[in-house]
């Protein structure tokens, strides 16, 4: 069966982000539906479905990039959940952020660890 | 035997970056020797020697962070070499940059791939 | 009649941002009045009053720049209102953000679209 | 006739960037061919072919975003040429950069104007 | 008496940031204790204890850097308090931000001045 | 005698940057003369002429901001010269960059120290 890029992307998005990812797309429906479509098709259908890196490696790279960018707390929250969903441990997530200190300095790392703390607590509570 | 942070860092730096890393430190000797010392002690002695991530994972994270920062072509060159030194394949290095497209856009990725192209050619030539 | 840079700027600021712009300046009065003065004189009196681009084009450029910078949600809110005030449609504002995806990646665009969604709702409600 | 995303993108890329764009893609062929494919398909086939903004407006937005990002001198060079190709005058290109001063400060604008100066001279010489 | 890097850093941290700094470290204890340790040892024990710049100059530099980075409102709050603690006047803190306008543009400065306003009010109220 | 903003700025620019500053302005004359005018009038006539910080403090802040921004090597070169011109020692310039490590990470600092090394050598040679 030949899946479209959108179908492939939606499947991958569910695999990585579960409901959180679908909520991001749904929240875009009335304001910028094409933005949601591109995230599904391009980010998840094209990029996340590629070979040469496994899903855990892709999430590690994504977390490093989002943390370094700064101002992406909402997206970090989604992808910290995604990292946990694909089997990266909380300890390893914190370690990813610590590895970035020499390249980004402490403030970006403090912000990312703050988001991680909230996510870990919510999942424990939930 | 108890290695100092500097000794531990120097050993790790050689393991990762070979001569290129030592050249960066040497070039700082007459202008900012303490900067070189901190890179060895803190970045390599403290951070790179930690557990929870292996050396290949640390280089993947470092490449993602440097590429996202932008304006770090010199440091990217050192760490693309470092990534190859610890056994990451050229194909996987390119894949790391491609995974970042949705978070950084194309220009940062084009710059990083340009540096990688130069590094790969130099190592083949050398 | 020869208007001062401040008078020219204040007039332009009202034309673009209406009350929102004046509120930004007023909020600075007790803490950093000169900052407000420079925004009026330089940003609006000097730059916004120049020729070669019309007001709609200037707001399009401003939105692109603010979105790309990141961490400027407050200023984006003011200038999304400004863009609407000078006649740019909501559909076109979203399109400006979408055009930036290849250069900034998705996270900055998601943040900007989130601000736009809030602004559009507030104006509909108001 | 139904063009593929790649065919649509290649046509648009030629329309905007002429040979310069094709050279960027060609230079990627031996190192990261998929990166070139995504630029053609996604940036040009999906985004640049959308409605709601004309080609001149899209180039204005692209120049604003690239200038604000910083460290994108190579991409600025391609898109300053692109802007000229779609009929934006040199005077208006400089004006776009000047409009960004209040949001990015002078250094980014100085760098962008430096690239523009080189591009304008090369085209006059050529 | 030979203080360890951690002891030296903790002393300097208290001198600069008072309770606020210790709260940042304490908040990291259950999630990323080593991150707190590195901030104390490296940022405060190594860097802040160096010669050639006095404490007021170090805080001026830190405020300039944090403001320019963007997205560091939490860290700005700690260091605006730190600047006041080491004797920099509120007027001079605002002036530091104003000096950065030509290099960062207005939005980053507006955000920093907004944080300063809140800090000054809290200390007056407290 | 009442100096215009431009005259005040030009005087201050010469005081800080000597010929290097005037060269930046001259290089803009044929491509973007107003950009040069704004740098003189606003950055130097308005901001650099303010009270509450002395010239050495203003250059310290400027160096911190330019280093943190990244991609501003040309402007760093001008202002490292400016810092030396107003009496900041080479040792103190390096110290300013080192103070920023915890906030920007090592790559930006390495780039800035590289520029400083070149400037110091050129002035010794000259």
């Amino acid at each position: 069966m030949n899946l479209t890029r959108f179908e492939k992307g939606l499947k991958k998005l569910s695999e990585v982000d579960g409901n959180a990812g679908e909520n991001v797309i749904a929240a875009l429906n009335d304001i910028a539906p094409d933005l949601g479509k591109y995230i599904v098709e391009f980010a998840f259908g094209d990029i996340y479905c590629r070979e040469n890196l496994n899903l855990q490696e892709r999430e590690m790279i994504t977390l490093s990039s989002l943390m370094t960018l700064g101002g992406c707390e909402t997206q970090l929250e989604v992808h910290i959940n995604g990292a946990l969903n694909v089997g990266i441990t909380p300890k390893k997530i914190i370690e990813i952020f610590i590895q970035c200190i020499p390249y980004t300095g402490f403030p970006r790392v403090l912000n990312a660890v703050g988001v991680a703390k909230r996510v870990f607590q919510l999942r424990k509570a939930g």
Side-chain angles (χ1 to χ4, degrees), chain A residues 8-9 12-13 15-17 39-51 53-63 66 79 82-83 86:
Chain A
K8 270 177 62 184
K12 185 62 73 176
L13 177 67
E15 191 182 344
V16 179
D17 290 331
I39 292 175
V40 172
E41 284 182 350
F42 180 65
F44 287 91
D46 287 350
I47 304 295
Y48 261 91
C49 286
R50 291 172 58 84
E51 300 184 350
L53 290 170
N54 63 40
L55 213 42
Q56 290 202 358
E57 291 170 323
R58 291 193 185 275
E59 278 304 316
M60 287 176 46
I61 292 162
T62 297
L63 288 181
L66 286 173
H79 281 281
V86 301

Side-chain angles (χ1 to χ4, degrees), chain A residues 98-116:
Chain A
I98 286 179
Q99 171 65 17
C100 291
I101 301 174
Y103 311 106
T104 65
F106 290 106
R108 296 263 181 272
V109 179
L110 282 164
N111 288 347
V113 166
V115 178

Side-chain angles (χ1 to χ4, degrees), chain A residues 114-125:
Chain A
V115 178
K117 187 173 178 172
R118 223 166 39 236
V119 171
F120 297 165
Q121 286 172 339
L122 276 170
R123 286 172 79 112
K124 207 178 278 177

Side-chain angles (χ1 to χ4, degrees), chain A residues 6 10 21-40:
Chain A
F6 188 83
L10 207 57
E22 285 161 40
N23 291 346
V24 171
I25 306 306
L28 294 169
N29 257 350
D30 57 342
I31 181 90
D34 288 354
L35 176 55
K37 188 172 81 94
Y38 293 138
I39 292 175
V40 172

Side-chain angles (χ1 to χ4, degrees), chain A residues 11 20 67:
Chain A
K11 220 178 126 192
M67 196 220 75

